[in-house]
Amino acid sequence: MEHRLEVNGQPKIEKMYQTILTELEKGTLVITINRPDKMNALNKDVITELGQAIDEVYRNDEIKSVIITGAGEKAFVAGADISEFIGLDAGAGAELAKKGQDLVFDKIENCPKPVVAAVNGFSLGGGCELAMACHFRLASANARFGQPEVNLGLIPGYGGTQRLTQLVGKGKAMEMIMSGDMVAADEAKAIGLVNHVVTLEELLPKTKEILQKIQLKAPVAVAKVIACVNEAAKSDPNGFNHEIDRFGACFTTEDMKEGTNAFIEKRKPVFKGK
Ligand code: COA
């Protein structure tokens, strides 16, 4: 079900989900995980609905960029819902991890439109993994990041061992995941886990401001940047060759002609995403 309304002349879409809120304004879809009484923990319903919302991002041309955040002032996401772990065997545990990675985390990472985490508090376990699946992260000063699974006799299962290592390097990732210790927002910035630390009040406005700037750039080129940088992060041996191919493919786009003509004509380009 979908509600369409106009706010200040801007289209706004609100889908009716049970565990997340979605709001589209000026081309940016804000997805808010909405279980504040459970620290926005990722249960099966959240994973399913997040997957549906991301599918909508791929499908819907009105959505140009995405912000993922958490409801309330305490938590972004405090992890997978631990109550759903009880009684699982090896197969069910692996299935839970695979389903989450397939339905949500990998789809976010590979999304051709920018997806940014606005981390507004505890970002632990699956929460830290969700933030890391996004293309980059902003944090409020009260944010705390960590992979505390070892406290439960577990390891990260939504990509944490891989993405934390890509982002902060092997030594720091080893220490964080083996100790389960949290790092505060400033340290997260110092180690490269987040790009900006701002106040809680500034978090969404600042994230939206960055995305508005990106939305003025050529969307096909932005999508190719995401694909190339993702390959670099994974040390893909074909990364350099794919960059060459994608660079070449840009020359076939209307946006490349518009961008180069606009430069020569000393005017601002207007990109169509074609
Ligand atoms: N799964 C399920 N429920 C969770 C949860 C999670 N990952 N994280 C928090 N909650 C629930 C708590 O059980 C509590 O529910 P209740 O009110 O019904 O008892 C509620 O959220 C509030 O959490 P609480 O622990 O009382 O808040 P706090 O401010 O004292 O502590 C945290 C906040 C985030 C430090 C603490 O909740 C925590 O350590 N959570 C688990 C983090 C974790 O191990 N994540 C990795 C999971 S793989």
Side-chain angles (χ1 to χ4, degrees):
M1 204 188 347
E2 187 173 284
H3 284 191
R4 277 174 179 270
L5 44 142
E6 291 272 319
V7 176
N8 300 329
Q10 286 293 330
K12 207 172 165 183
I13 299 177
E14 298 195 42
K15 284 228 170 211
M16 304 309 285
Y17 294 107
Q18 303 304 311
T19 61
I20 61 173
L21 305 169
T22 56
E23 187 182 4
L24 178 64
E25 215 166 345
K26 293 185 186 165
T28 298
L29 184 75
V30 180
I31 301 175
T32 305
I33 295 146
N34 190 29
R35 298 183 73 212
D37 54 327
K38 295 289 179 192
M39 300 275 161
N40 302 320
L42 302 175
N43 64 9
K44 285 185 182 133
D45 292 341
V46 180
I47 292 292
T48 300
E49 293 194 342
L50 264 178
Q52 291 168 351
I54 299 300
D55 286 343
E56 175 71 11
V57 173
Y58 275 72
R59 260 194 316 263
N60 187 338
D61 289 342
E62 286 181 60
I63 302 172
K64 313 288 186 201
S65 63
V66 181
I67 296 173
I68 299 182
T69 193
E73 300 193 344
K74 232 178 146 180
F76 171 69
V77 167
D81 192 316
I82 298 167
S83 66
E84 290 184 345
F85 291 169
I86 310 297
L88 298 189
D89 61 14
E95 181 57 27
L96 181 106
K98 180 167 169 34
K99 209 171 157 194
Q101 292 200 21
D102 289 349
L103 287 183
V104 178
F105 294 74
D106 291 353
K107 267 193 216 161
I108 290 173
E109 182 172 76
N110 296 321
C111 184
K113 305 171 186 179
V115 184
V116 178
V119 180
N120 57 308
F122 287 113
S123 178
L124 303 175
C128 190
E129 291 167 302
L130 181 63
M132 292 192 297
C134 294
H135 298 139
F136 58 91
R137 290 142 291 283
L138 278 76
S140 56
N142 64 320
R144 300 279 178 279
F145 295 81
Q147 296 289 160
E149 288 86 353
V150 286
N151 295 323
L152 305 168
L154 285 168
I155 68 167
Y158 286 149
T161 60
Q162 306 302 297
R163 293 196 180 98
L164 190 62
T165 308
Q166 289 161 6
L167 282 165
V168 305
K170 183 176 170 183
K172 191 66 195 173
M174 283 282 194
E175 184 182 348
M176 280 180 70
I177 302 174
M178 288 197 285
S179 70
D181 282 349
M182 295 184 211
V183 298
D186 284 342
E187 188 180 351
K189 186 177 173 199
I191 63 177
L193 195 45
V194 305
N195 292 8
H196 305 274
V197 179
V198 295
T199 63
L200 201 48
E201 294 71 35
E202 286 171 322
L203 182 62
L204 281 181
K206 174 78 179 167
T207 313
K208 286 178 182 173
E209 182 191 313
I210 293 172
L211 286 172
Q212 287 301 308
K213 188 190 281 186
I214 295 173
Q215 275 177 217
L216 294 175
K217 314 300 176 192
V220 178
V222 168
K224 292 186 192 306
V225 168
I226 293 170
C228 286
V229 176
N230 277 342
E231 288 178 356
K234 290 180 182 151
S235 304
D236 187 323
N238 297 311
F240 284 94
N241 285 333
H242 289 164
E243 184 184 280
I244 291 167
D245 294 342
R246 291 184 184 118
F247 179 78
C250 288
F251 285 79
T252 68
T253 64
E254 287 181 31
D255 283 351
M256 182 271 175
K257 291 178 185 72
E258 167 65 6
T260 46
N261 285 335
F263 178 80
I264 288 167
E265 293 161 15
K266 300 195 185 303
R267 61 174 174 83
K268 283 207 158 62
V270 179
F271 294 118
K272 293 186 188 147
K274 289 182 185 165

